[in-house]
Every structure is written in structure tokens, then in C-alpha cells.
Amino acid sequence: MSRGDRPLRIVSIGGGPAGLLAAALVRRRFPQHEVTVLERNAPDATFGFGVVFSARTLAGLRDVDPAVHAAIDAASSSWRDIEVRHRGETLRCGGHGMSAIARTRLLAILQQHAADAGAELRFETEATPELLAGADVVLGADGVNSGVRTARAEVFEPRVEQGRAKYIWFAATTPFDALTFAFAEDEHGWWGVHAYPFDGERSTFIVETDEGTWRRAGLDQAGELPLGASDLRSLAYCERLFADVLGGGRLLENNSRWLTFGTLRTGRWHEGNTVLLGDAAHTAHFSVGSGTKMAMEDAIALVDVLGEADDVPTALAAYERVRRPQVEHIQRAADPSMRWWERFRHVAADEVPERFAFHFLTRSPIVTRDRVRARDARFVRRVEREFAGRLDVAEPDAPLAAPFELPVSGAAAGGATGGLLEGGSGVAAGSLPASGAAGAARAAVPPTPAGGGAAAGSHAAGVAGGHVTLRSRVIAAPRLSPCGGQDLALLAGAAAAGAGVVLAVPVAEPDGGAESAAHWHTIAAAVRRQGALLALAAPPDAALVCEADVLALPRVALGELSAARVAVEAGEWPAQRPLLLPVVAGPADEQVAGVGEVAALAAERSLITAVLAPRADDDGRALQALLCDALRAGAPGVPIALVDPLGTDEAATAVLAGRADLCLGRPRFDTPRWEPVAGRRIAEPPTRAAAAPPPAAAALPTASLPTIAAGS
């Protein structure tokens, strides 16, 4: 092959975007190669309506084939905004840069350019062994139902993860001017729309809902439809339901029927001289990944390596090595989005449109507040302003500095130390010695400077109406030393810096003896004097003696969670005093049962559910976010703490979106304001003359949490 010099015979099985673009690019760059495209259908036979491209995809196409890019660009509709319509409000987030084109027009352009470049196009032609004989390269570009992949399934190892949501694909005669997501509720449940313009007069209009809503509406009665036929009853139903969104327009059909989306992954993309492209190799949910966009990017990548490698096997291996990570990145972003659409009925019930829109835009964990802000700072300001106004907190640091009402069942107001109960624990007054080690410890607690730390009367705001007001959304856990010599400085320093709760995970487990009790009583009193609560990872009897406000339990996998297990681990810890329960998120399909256990526990005990990712990658964080959403829906009112956010940005994103109430994580909070809370440096109690900014985000170093941290 020698860097593209030796003539090759290339056959594409499939005349969709991947096969046609590859044919055009090969012929223009390497005219010595012979290229044939075999397509079983007629040139104008296609299902669907518009095809979406990002600005980045079009820029890549312009670099490799300016003529094709110019033709597609001229026939496309473009926009920069995403619009979310919810409860009568319309919110726009700009800076996205996307285009769409009618699928029929795209295919016509690619067919013309491939033919002009010298490729042979054979329509209504099956790929027979005779037509493939002598081919140096065979492109399996025959779509999601690929015969190439199926015939060699043992080699390509396909697997499909089937979604649960139901969707149906229409076009609308309404020319939307943005990528529009509209949500509506009727007597059967919640429905959502994805809509975007693809020419000057029409838009793609996809309706999605959960299976229960779909069945209650009676739209499961269509049965098996012949190829090309559409579900006209569902068309009429959706047209009525979204009449206000359509604005007088109507819906158009083209093989429109209810489907469930399957995410396709393959173990290998190439074998011998055969390689898979586009939907034959992979799919990603349409809410994030356009299959046509990904297919065309596959074609560009493949042609690039054909010109660089010395032989075909090396070229195909290089193609997969380069392209697979890019596709998997899109799939990782699309998976949580697909799951979001399966459960969106719970989130759509949110009565705050700004929070709902932000939750929607950040449904994939790789999209955070700062990424959204980089696209549209005004949109983020609106979301933060609403949050700050609702909670009456200073806007600049609103998400993490906002107070939080922590439910505490049956607790009485605390004493002078500001603890949950007298003396900060359930221990009766006088049960600890008033003299000796414990008494000396109490006397040794340094007073808060006038006006410093938590000002007088503003400790943890005490208990009222069955709640303790935490002064921030941050659970801090400084890394403690083996000797315990800096425990007081680190934990009280984190409290002084603004944490609402300080979590102590001692290297040496407290034993409840007099010396240990004195040590931890001193710390508990100092933490509370700075306005925070103390959570302690210790046996329950020791935590009581040590004056802890919150008992931190060992972490548990979601599938192993049970009320009986928690009862054993909580021991004699009073039911009205909070438990910090760290739960490791499991597979999406297994989360329902675990959420039910949390709801049952919360009916009997005060509880904070701390949600951990099962692993430190995008997939793990996606499962973590899904569990947070599932808990919000299935265990309403139970406080949720996001464990191990990657930084202040991710923590603030979770709180703004309503995905979590609190944040507990590693010392990665990357703003000077929150470094002291994370335990990187010891904070001096602020003075009235130089008051610290309002508290915002605390961090809990996962490495210091052997019983809580993910992956420990």
C-alpha cells in the first residue's frame, strides 16, 4: 500500500452517509483507487427527516472536502441556542453552534459528490460474494441492522443496551429557530419533545415518554406496522398535546412508529480487510449523539489512515485505535442522557423552571456549570439568581454557601454549644465527668474571637420545626494525621472556613474511653462554636460518648443496603439524630430496589444519603448522578450528599440542578475560598474587620475516608 501509492479496490456495503463520504474522499485524495458503493435501496429511499451537525463536525468536513462542506452548509439551517419550554416558561441557552439538513438533501449531495469524484454507485444492488471478490477493503457501512456485522457476529461481538423510554419521529411544518425541548403533562403523564429546524419550512419533531405514560394513553395499540407505514393515531394525539408548541403547524409522518433506543457497542470494528463504520459499529442516543454525524466522522478518520499506513490491516487497526475513544466519549455522554429521558417525568414535576432547565442541560456529568457558563453566562446568571433569591443568600457564592434545612426528627433545641441536643449529644447531662480529663477538655476549648467564626447566635442556627439549619451545603473532611495531634486545628479550621458539617474519620477509631471522649468532646465543642456540626465515623456508642452530632456509617453497595443492616450498624444511636449513610451507586436497572430501602429507612430515622460513584470515571459519575435523581424521586425529602465532586464547579452544578443538597468530597475544591474547608491549609478564624466571603463549597478528601470513599 505504501502510503496510498498502491491501487486498491474498495467496496462499501451501504450507500448511507458513511459509505458515500468515504467513497468521495478516497477518490479525491487517492484517484488511483477504485471505489464501488453497493446500496440495496433506491437513491431517494430513506426514512427520517433532519440530520444534525455540530459546528466542529462541519469544520472538520471543510478541512477535508471544502466542496462537500459548502454544499451541505448552503442547504442547512443553523442555530446557536437551546430552548427549554417548561410550565409556561421559555429559557434559552446560547453558544452551541449547530446545523441541520434534510436527510434526503444530504444523501443527494453526497451521492453527487461521490459520483463526480469517480466512485461507482450501484443502487438496488445486494452485496453478493461475486461483487466482493477481489476487494482489498470492504466497508461495512450498512446501518444499525448491518448484515456485515451480523454475518460475523462472533468476530465483531456486538452488544446492545436497550433503553426503556418510548419515542416517535415526526416532522413539523413549524420552522423552529433553535434546538427546542418542550415538556407537557396530561392526564396520562409527562411527554417531552426534541425539535430542530432542517430547512426553512420544516423541523424534526421527536416525542418521547416513559412506557407507563405511553400505555396509559393507549398508544400501545397500533401493533406491528408494515415497513413504511406510520402510526396515525399517535400522530393525531401528539399534534393535540403539543398544539401550543406547534403554533398552528402540523405534524408530518414518514415510517413514524413508537420505538425504544438501543445503544450498540461492538468488541471489534475490523477483521482482515473488513471494517465497520457508522451505525454498523456503534450508536449513541439521539439526544446527544447524531448517528449521521458520527458516521461521517468515521469516514474522515478512515480515509486519513488509509493514506498513512503501509498496508490495509495496519490502516484498519489505526482507524479503530484513533476513532474508538472519540466514539466512546460520545456514548458516555449519551448514556446518562438516555437514562434521563427514561425518568424525566420525576424531574419535570419541578415547579422551578430555571432549576429544571439547568438540570436538563447538565444531565451528563461532563457538562457542568462552568461549561454552560462559557457558552452563555446570562443563562447561568439567571439560574443562580433564582437560586439565591429563593434561599435569600448572597448570589456570588450562592450554590454552596446557601443554608440547608437538615431534617432532625424529634430533636430538641441545643444548649450553649449550639449542638443538636444538650451538650451536642444524646448523652444525658452529667454523664461525662465534670472534672478530670473531660472537664479539662471542656475548659480548654478556645473561645471564638469577638465577631469571628460563627458570630454569636449564628452557630448551626439551632433546631426549629424539626430541622437544623446548616449554614452551608458543604460537608468537610480534612485528612487527619495518625497521631491525632492536629485533629482540633484541622476540624475546627474547616468549620471556621464555612463548612456546614465537619466529618471526622479518625485514623485510630475512638474507643469511648475517658481520654478519647475528652479529646473528641473538645473537638465537637470547637466545631460547634464555629457554627458547624460534627459527624464522626466511629462505633455508635463511642460516637455518643464523644459528643458527635451525626454518626457516619460504613459505606454500602446499593444492592446490599437493607434496613436490618443499618439497624445493626447504627446500634443505640438515637433514631432522631442524623445518620450519614454512604451508598455506592450501582447499575441503573438495579437502583429502584435500593431507593426503596432508603425511603423505608428515612421513615424511621433521620438520614443523610451520601452517594458515591462506583468508579472514578465518566461512567461511574453518570451512575452517581442517576442515583441522586432516583433518590430525589423515590425518597423525597431525604437529604442527598454528592460524594467526591471533582471540584467546586461540579459541586455547585449538583446543588444548582437540585441533584444534591450537600457536597462531600476530596480536597479538590479549586477556589481559594474553599481550600481551607478542604483541609489544604488551616484557616484562621475570620475577624470582623476582615470577614471571610460567604461559605461556598467544602471538600471531603476521599483518601481520608476508608469506609466512605469511592475506590478505597
Side-chain angles (χ1 to χ4, degrees):
M1 187 168 162
S2 186
R3 299 181 62 84
D5 294 335
R6 183 174 71 81
L8 298 175
R9 180 166 181 261
I10 300 173
V11 178
S12 173
I13 302 177
L20 290 170
L21 182 59
L25 293 177
V26 167
R27 285 292 302 164
R28 291 189 187 282
R29 292 175 62 176
F30 313 113
Q32 72 275 24
H33 296 338
E34 174 189 335
V35 182
T36 302
V37 176
L38 306 177
E39 170 56 50
R40 61 170 29 172
N41 296 313
D44 57 352
T46 186
F47 297 125
F49 296 99
V51 173
V52 177
F53 296 109
S54 67
R56 178 178 296 179
T57 300
L58 289 179
L61 182 58
R62 182 182 58 235
D63 292 342
V64 298
D65 196 325
V68 171
H69 170 268
I72 292 175
D73 190 51
S76 297
S77 295
S78 299
W79 65 89
R80 294 185 59 79
D81 291 353
I82 291 178
E83 182 174 285
V84 180
R85 303 185 189 185
H86 179 249
R87 294 194 178 277
E89 293 281 344
T90 297
L91 292 93
R92 283 205 170 203
C93 179
H96 294 272
M98 289 174 281
S99 299
I101 184 174
R103 183 173 177 84
T104 51
R105 182 66 185 130
L106 173 66
L107 290 175
I109 289 171
L110 293 176
Q111 288 165 6
Q112 187 63 54
H113 278 264
D116 290 347
E120 180 184 6
L121 308 184
R122 297 189 185 184
F123 294 98
E124 300 179 275
T125 302
E126 295 286 351
T128 64
E130 292 75 20
L131 292 175
L132 299 179
D136 296 292
V137 182
V138 176
L139 309 183
D142 50 345
V144 69
N145 296 315
S146 170
V148 175
R149 185 191 67 238
T150 301
R152 304 175 70 180
E154 74 286 355
V155 172
F156 294 118
E157 300 175 347
R159 62 191 188 280
V160 177
E161 182 180 1
Q162 201 65 45
R164 294 178 175 178
K166 293 290 183 179
Y167 71 95
I168 189 168
W169 211 289
F170 299 114
T173 58
T174 305
F176 294 95
D177 63 352
L179 176 55
T180 301
F181 296 94
F183 299 87
E185 184 182 22
D186 67 4
E187 67 273 22
H188 305 300
W190 278 94
W191 309 76
V193 161
H194 319 231
Y196 54 85
F198 61 82
D199 61 24
E201 299 177 348
R202 297 173 298 168
S203 301
T204 292
F205 198 92
I206 308 166
V207 179
E208 192 159 9
T209 190
D210 63 276
E211 185 173 356
T213 299
W214 173 71
R215 291 189 183 279
R216 286 190 294 273
L219 300 184
D220 58 337
Q221 303 301 314
E224 290 295 325
L225 296 171
L227 184 64
S230 294
D231 183 347
L232 299 182
R233 180 168 179 265
S234 291
L235 182 148
Y237 184 98
C238 294
E239 205 168 59
R240 289 192 303 270
L241 178 63
F242 289 104
D244 59 332
V245 177
L246 290 167
R250 61 190 181 87
L251 295 181
L252 307 174
E253 49 83 19
N254 178 3
N255 197 43
S256 302
R257 74 270 309 280
W258 291 99
L259 303 168
T260 57
F261 190 87
T263 300
L264 169 69
R265 294 176 172 86
T266 48
R268 296 192 61 178
W269 290 8
H270 75 283
E271 170 68 13
N273 69 339
T274 301
V275 63
L276 302 178
L277 286 81
D279 284 354
H282 49 72
T283 60
H285 192 256
F286 50 83
S287 61
V288 171
S290 161
T292 301
K293 160 195 173 304
M294 296 166 69
M296 293 174 67
E297 290 173 344
D298 286 355
I300 293 170
L302 177 62
V303 175
D304 282 345
V305 298
L306 284 174
E308 296 296 327
D310 292 330
D311 54 61
V312 168
T314 301
L316 302 188
Y319 156 73
E320 182 169 350
R321 185 171 61 250
V322 170
R323 185 68 184 134
R324 180 185 282 274
Q326 298 168 352
V327 167
E328 290 177 347
H329 175 75
I330 295 172
Q331 289 179 318
R332 283 194 297 271
D335 283 351
S337 181
M338 180 176 74
R339 297 299 183 187
W340 188 94
W341 281 99
E342 293 172 356
R343 303 177 178 183
F344 80 90
R345 66 190 183 279
H346 302 301
V347 187
D350 193 338
E351 295 183 358
V352 181
E354 290 86 354
R355 181 171 59 198
F356 172 77
F358 186 75
H359 188 287
F360 172 71
L361 291 175
T362 59
R363 62 197 183 277
S364 172
I366 67 174
V367 180
T368 63
R369 178 187 61 171
D370 286 354
R371 289 190 63 173
V372 177
R373 178 187 282 137
R375 295 181 182 275
D376 191 337
R378 288 186 301 175
F379 171 79
V380 173
R381 278 199 301 272
R382 176 174 175 177
V383 173
E384 291 182 327
R385 196 159 47 241
E386 186 284 326
F387 180 93
R390 179 160 35 89
L391 297 176
D392 191 25
V393 66
E395 183 182 333
D397 228 1
L400 298 172
F404 177 68
E405 299 294 322
L406 176 66
V408 183
S409 305
T417 61
L420 292 177
L421 300 176
E422 178 66 33
S425 80
V427 181
S431 63
L432 288 177
S435 59
R442 290 192 179 99
V445 176
T448 303
S458 68
H459 304 300
V463 181
H467 292 81
V468 175
T469 302
L470 302 182
R471 48 104 174 261
S472 79
R473 302 301 182 104
V474 172
I475 302 176
R479 191 185 306 274
L480 303 183
S481 62
C483 66
Q486 286 196 319
D487 289 355
L488 174 61
L490 288 168
L491 296 169
V501 178
V502 177
L503 172 60
V505 183
V507 176
E509 191 174 82
D511 57 15
E515 184 175 352
S516 176
H519 174 73
W520 285 103
H521 175 266
T522 301
I523 292 171
V527 165
R528 284 193 291 270
R529 288 172 69 93
Q530 297 295 343
L533 302 182
L534 177 68
L536 185 61
D541 54 348
L544 282 170
V545 173
C546 292
E547 307 268 331
D549 299 299
V550 179
L551 175 64
L553 297 179
R555 67 175 180 170
V556 59
L558 185 65
E560 299 172 2
L561 178 63
S562 70
R565 174 172 178 163
V566 171
V568 170
E569 291 174 343
E572 297 302 315
W573 186 258
Q576 74 272 19
R577 301 180 63 74
L579 293 174
L580 181 66
L581 175 64
V583 178
V584 182
D589 294 341
E590 299 176 7
Q591 291 186 359
V592 174
V595 169
E597 291 289 344
V598 171
L601 282 167
E604 301 176 357
R605 291 179 172 272
S606 295
L607 193 66
I608 302 171
T609 305
V611 180
L612 298 90
R615 51 190 177 276
D617 58 18
D618 289 344
D619 293 337
R621 285 190 290 276
L623 291 173
Q624 181 185 35
L626 283 172
L627 180 55
C628 287
D629 287 345
L631 285 165
R632 186 67 79 213
V638 177
I640 299 170
L642 183 77
V643 177
D644 194 19
L646 294 182
T648 307
D649 178 32
E650 189 174 64
T653 300
V655 173
L656 273 177
R659 190 166 283 116
D661 304 297
L662 305 164
C663 289
L664 180 161
R666 295 177 186 269
R668 294 179 181 171
F669 285 78
D670 41 15
T671 59
R673 173 66 191 87
W674 291 104
E675 285 180 352
V677 176
R680 285 202 190 100
R681 52 188 174 86
I682 298 173
E684 295 296 329
T687 64
R688 189 179 298 278
L700 172 57
T702 307
S704 70
L705 304 179
T707 60
I708 294 180
S712 61

